[in-house]
Amino acid sequence: MDKFNIAIDGPAGAGKSTIARLVAGALGFVYVDTGAMYRAVTWKVQQEGLRPDQESEIVAIANRMRIELIPRAEGQQVIVDDIDVTKAIRTTAITDDVSQIASIGAIRQLLVAMQKQMAISKGVVMDGRDIGTHVMPDAEIKIFLTASVSERAERRFKEMQSSGSCTMTLQELEHDIARRDQMDQEREISPLKRAHDAVLMDSTSMSIEEVVDEILGLCKDKV
Ligand code: C5P
C-alpha cells in the first residue's frame, strides 16, 4: 500500500489520540501526538520554575531542549533531554498552562517545523489542533473530530477514574475543557479550526470503533 498522511484535529477530549493511535496501528503507520510536544515544553518550563507568561525565556528553553517521540504499541513515549516524561506531561498542572504556552508564536514555529519533518516520508497519523490547516495542509485525509463538551468531559472523567488519577470533579473537567477550547479557538496564530477540506465527524453518539472504521473506510479510497 502506498503511504499517505492523515491529519486529525479537534477540541480537547474528542478522542483524537485514541482514534489516531488505532488508525495508525491498523494501517501500520506512525502515530504522532502533537499535543504531547506542547505539553513537553510546558513540563520543561515548569521544571525551570518559569511562569507561562515569560515568553522570551520560554522560547530560549524550547530552543535548547530535545524532545523525542518514540512510537510504542500502547501509545507514544515522550522523552525530554533523556528523561521519560510520558506520564508527567498529563498532570493537571501541565494542562492548566499548556494552552497559554501553545499560543506563543515562536514556540509554534519551532514545533511545527519538527512536525512537518516527521510527515515528510508519509505514513503518519498526526493529531492536534492545526494539523490539517498548517502542519500537513496537503494531507491526503483530514478529519475534524468533535463531540459535545459534556460528552468529552464525561469521557475524560471515566478515563481518569479508571486510571486512578482523578483529581477533578466532572464539573471542573467540563469547565477546563471549555476554557481550553476557547483559548485554542481564539488564539491569533493557527487557532483550532476545521480545514475547509476536512471531513467533520461528531463522535458524541459514536463508539471509538465506529469512528475508527469510518476513517479506515475513507482510507480505502486512497489505496
Ligand atoms: O492534545 P492535547 O489536549 O494534549 O493538547 C494540549 C494543548 O496543546 C491543547 O489544548 C492546545 O492548546 C495545544 N496544542 C496546540 N496545537 C496542537 C496540539 C496541541 O496548540 N497541534
Side-chain angles (χ1 to χ4, degrees):
M1 178 174 59
D2 280 347
K3 285 184 178 176
F4 51 87
N5 286 335
I6 305 178
I8 305 183
D9 289 300
K16 300 185 299 294
S17 305
T18 308
I19 284 154
R21 184 168 49 79
L22 292 171
V23 168
L27 296 170
F29 285 10
V30 174
Y31 161 53
V32 180
D33 169 4
T34 61
M37 299 169 78
Y38 292 93
R39 287 175 178 274
V41 173
T42 307
W43 177 84
K44 187 75 181 175
V45 164
Q46 292 185 355
Q47 289 291 302
E48 300 281 329
L50 294 175
R51 293 186 318 271
D53 62 349
Q54 292 178 279
E55 291 199 7
S56 51
E57 291 89 341
I58 292 173
V59 173
I61 285 178
N63 274 301
R64 279 199 310 269
M65 68 189 274
R66 205 177 66 247
I67 305 174
E68 289 167 87
L69 302 181
I70 304 171
R72 301 263 182 232
E74 64 280 9
Q76 176 189 260
Q77 192 180 6
V78 185
I79 312 283
V80 171
D81 296 334
D82 298 325
I83 301 171
D84 186 338
V85 298
T86 312
K87 275 213 178 108
I89 60 170
R90 303 287 159 195
T91 61
T92 323
I94 301 286
T95 306
D96 282 347
D97 287 352
V98 63
S99 295
Q100 190 174 350
I101 289 174
S103 69
I104 303 172
I107 296 293
R108 302 203 70 80
Q109 241 176 16
L110 185 74
L111 298 189
V112 167
M114 289 166 66
Q115 292 154 8
K116 280 181 182 282
Q117 195 63 35
M118 292 177 207
I120 278 180
S121 43
K122 303 252 177 182
V124 162
V125 183
M126 198 177 277
D127 87 63
R129 305 292 189 286
D130 58 342
I131 310 306
T133 50
H134 287 88
V135 180
M136 307 197 304
D138 299 330
E140 285 78 356
I141 294 188
K142 295 184 186 177
I143 310 291
F144 193 86
L145 185 66
T146 186
S148 69
V149 176
S150 58
E151 174 68 20
R152 288 186 278 134
E154 208 152 303
R155 286 181 195 164
R156 270 281 155 92
F157 190 64
K158 283 187 188 145
E159 225 174 72
M160 288 167 106
Q161 274 185 322
S162 63
S163 67
S165 61
C166 201
T167 53
M168 292 166 111
T169 64
L170 180 60
Q171 249 180 344
E172 283 168 340
L173 255 178
E174 194 167 324
H175 184 264
D176 175 67
I177 283 179
R179 176 188 67 88
R180 276 206 291 151
D181 283 357
Q182 191 180 6
M183 280 186 83
D184 291 343
Q185 281 159 354
E186 291 179 356
R187 72 168 171 241
E188 241 165 78
I189 309 154
S190 0
L192 167 67
K193 93 170 180 229
R194 176 185 169 191
H196 67 93
D197 50 352
V199 176
L200 177 65
M201 283 188 189
D202 184 335
S203 71
T204 307
S205 46
M206 286 171 89
S207 69
I208 289 171
E209 291 73 24
E210 284 171 327
V211 178
V212 170
D213 282 350
E214 203 162 316
I215 297 175
L216 291 176
L218 295 172
C219 295
K220 285 207 182 98
D221 304 336
K222 303 284 163 194
V223 181

